């Protein structure tokens, strides 16, 4: 399905950015350079996300489960 609109708006860009980001968050990640531990992000009913690290990270430091809200601000810049 494609969305047609006459003019790109800040709301369209924000919706796209949020959807793109959320598509990559849910589920487990693998440890990498940007995130040095494995974690799971789960969406909650109040539009926040739970960040749950693996219980036994490779470096031995335990990390707390945290809750985050994703906020995206988009401003059109006039030329």
């Amino acid at each position: 399905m494609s969305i047609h609109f006459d003019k790109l708006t800040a709301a369209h860009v924000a919706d796209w950015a949020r959807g793109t980001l959320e598509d990559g968050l849910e589920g487990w990640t693998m440890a990498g350079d940007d995130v040095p531990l494995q974690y799971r992000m789960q969406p909650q009913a109040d539009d926040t996300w739970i960040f749950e690290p693996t219980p036994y990270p490779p470096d031995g430091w335990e990390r707390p489960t945290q809750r985050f809200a994703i906020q995206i601000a988009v401003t059109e810049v006039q030329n």
Side-chain angles (χ1 to χ4, degrees), residues 9-10 16 19-20 25 29 48 60 66 71:
T9 65
W16 170 82
T20 300
L25 286 179
T29 64
T48 62
Q66 296 171 274
Q71 298 175 336

Side-chain angles (χ1 to χ4, degrees), residues 7-64:
K7 183 176 190 277
L8 187 62
T9 65
H12 285 118
V13 175
D15 287 346
W16 170 82
R18 182 179 176 94
T20 300
L21 181 61
E22 288 178 350
D23 285 347
L25 286 179
E26 190 171 359
W28 284 100
T29 64
M30 297 302 294
D33 293 336
D34 295 332
V35 181
L37 70 156
Q38 191 176 12
Y39 68 93
R40 178 171 59 189
M41 290 288 286
Q42 293 182 306
Q44 305 299 299
D46 63 356
D47 287 334
T48 62
W49 289 75
I50 293 290
F51 176 95
E52 179 187 5
T54 54
Y56 304 105
D59 60 12
W61 290 91
E62 290 210 25
R63 292 167 178 85

